[in-house]
Amino acid sequence: MSVEPLASERPTPESGPPQGPAFAHEVVDFPPLGSAGGHPVAHRRWEELVSDVHVRGHSLDDVWNALTDPYVVSQWFADADESWAVPGRESTLDFNDGEFFWCRTVAAEPPHGGRAVLEHLWRWVGVGPATTVRWELSEAPGPVVAVRAVERATNPPSDWRSWNGMGWPGILDQLAEHLRTGRRQRWPWRRMGPYVQTELPLGTFEAWTALSSVPALQFWLGRSAGNLDEGGRVEFTLGDASGVAALTVTRHIEANQSFPSFQPRLEFDLHRPGWPGPLGGHLWIEPAGLGRSILQVFHSGWEQFGQLAEAPVDRALLTSFWASAFGRLSFLVSDPTRGEGGAAGSDGPGPHSWSR
């Protein structure tokens, strides 16, 4: 015979669901698959280029003077101003075709004890990533002066080793040949370029989406019509005193479409009234560390101008235009007031401060 328990001994039902994480161990001890939370912390890559040349028949003082005297530097490398090689000062190394290095001298140690050192930072066209250059001079038997140029970069463009790596031996040869012959050893203006690059504070895909939208093109490129779709034609203003140009997209590769980088890029023809034909162009982007990217533009085809005086002038105009456009773009993608599609906030400045 069963005995019915007293009411006071019966278990009372719960009045509602448990309050708080009554069974927290179900989440802590048995999380769902794919919830480990792996995420990137840093992407860093350091690169270094080291190039040597031996200068015979000249003293250490001679080579130091060729490296630091602005007039002599202009005979074998680029036009240098009076602030060149002055510690703490900024200066330019100008190639007179629109492209230049903007420099800041870090150290200048004149010849002493058989050695000398010049170290500076530089940015291509003033807006490219900064790298460190160190010139080391030392006496060797012969008499010979050993010249070593060391350039160091953090997260440089992928072609940095090929462009700069091949360029440094030529620069050192120009120095040695000028000292030997006394003749001017400067490069002539080139059929390729301008090459302009800038760092953006966004990853590649986000930056490309922001810069290629029509509202963004109006802001940073000065677009008046068109878009960057393949086959599209974007008309834009080079500057208030410089007229117009048009960019016809011949190929637009979106993200994850092309091996091996899978980064977006486009190829285009650049048209300008009065030119004998269009210039070829490339606009592309690649990573520059975690959450950052490098945007680059490059042109080719200047040989069609022959000896026209307008070629170097228009080359300089394009360099200035792209440097300014990239500056506006950098402002755009770092501006917290920008709206959807990468467009600047309604109160943001236009391509020029007086245009709105």
Side-chain angles (χ1 to χ4, degrees):
M1 181 177 66
S2 61
V3 179
E4 185 73 18
L6 297 174
S8 60
E9 297 174 345
R10 297 174 189 164
T12 58
E14 296 288 343
S15 60
Q19 300 299 312
F23 306 108
H25 67 283
E26 294 179 354
V27 177
V28 176
D29 298 336
F30 191 56
L33 294 176
S35 61
H39 60 279
V41 176
H43 291 171
R44 302 189 186 104
R45 173 169 48 91
W46 293 275
E47 297 194 47
E48 180 179 77
L49 301 171
V50 182
S51 304
D52 286 350
V53 74
H54 291 87
V55 178
R56 303 180 184 278
H58 288 273
S59 68
L60 185 59
D61 287 328
D62 291 339
V63 180
W64 177 255
N65 184 66
L67 186 61
T68 59
D69 181 273
Y71 173 77
V72 183
V73 171
S74 71
Q75 299 302 298
W76 64 270
F77 192 16
D79 284 357
D81 57 44
E82 61 183 9
S83 297
W84 169 248
V86 178
R89 299 287 296 277
E90 297 185 354
S91 60
T92 58
L93 292 173
D94 195 338
F95 295 98
N96 301 126
D97 59 3
E99 292 176 292
F100 60 92
F101 281 111
W102 183 251
C103 309
R104 179 180 179 83
T105 302
V106 176
E109 303 172 11
H112 179 74
R115 63 182 296 276
V117 172
L118 174 66
E119 184 172 314
H120 58 85
L121 304 170
W122 64 10
R123 292 181 182 270
W124 184 243
V125 196
V127 297
T131 64
T132 298
V133 176
R134 182 177 175 89
W135 303 78
E136 301 172 350
L137 312 184
S138 58
E139 292 179 334
V144 170
V145 177
V147 181
R148 168 164 289 184
V150 181
E151 185 174 14
R152 299 185 178 97
T154 302
N155 293 321
S158 60
D159 60 1
W160 184 73
R161 279 170 293 170
S162 58
W163 280 80
N164 292 41
M166 292 187 296
W168 274 111
I171 292 172
L172 295 180
D173 280 342
Q174 288 175 202
L175 169 61
E177 289 299 310
H178 173 70
L179 283 166
R180 181 179 181 182
T181 66
R183 297 172 56 189
R184 184 179 172 89
Q185 296 291 332
R186 288 275 296 278
W187 293 324
W189 74 273
R190 292 155 286 169
R191 69 178 184 84
M192 295 190 295
Y195 174 42
V196 183
Q197 54 187 227
T198 194
E199 289 185 283
L200 298 175
L202 291 177
T204 55
F205 302 143
E206 185 182 2
W208 190 262
T209 299
L211 71 90
S212 59
S213 71
V214 168
L217 290 173
Q218 292 172 322
F219 181 82
W220 75 271
L221 192 63
R223 167 200 173 275
S224 57
N227 57 57
L228 293 180
D229 293 341
E230 189 158 319
R233 178 183 172 92
V234 177
E235 299 176 0
F236 60 96
T237 303
L238 286 172
D240 288 349
S242 306
V244 298
L247 182 158
T248 301
V249 180
T250 57
R251 190 181 187 197
H252 190 160
I253 299 175
E254 295 290 352
N256 295 319
Q257 290 186 348
S258 179
F259 176 85
S261 72
F262 296 104
Q263 300 296 329
R265 68 181 188 274
L266 62 83
E267 300 169 8
F268 61 89
D269 289 333
L270 185 66
H271 311 262
R272 179 163 158 79
W275 281 0
L279 289 178
H282 300 262
L283 183 72
W284 75 104
I285 197 165
E286 58 186 277
L290 186 61
R292 301 188 65 83
S293 55
I294 298 179
L295 182 67
Q296 302 166 83
V297 67
F298 179 79
H299 292 281
S300 61
W302 290 99
E303 62 268 21
Q304 66 180 301
F305 282 78
Q307 299 301 314
L308 291 179
E310 291 84 356
V313 173
D314 280 1
R315 197 177 188 283
L317 171 66
L318 271 185
T319 307
S320 177
F321 166 77
W322 283 118
S324 297
F326 282 7
R328 294 190 294 272
L329 178 59
S330 182
F331 172 83
L332 173 69
V333 299
S334 61
D335 178 11
T337 67
R338 68 182 189 274
E340 293 183 6
S346 59
D347 295 330
H352 301 287
S353 59
W354 58 82
S355 64
R356 289 187 183 178

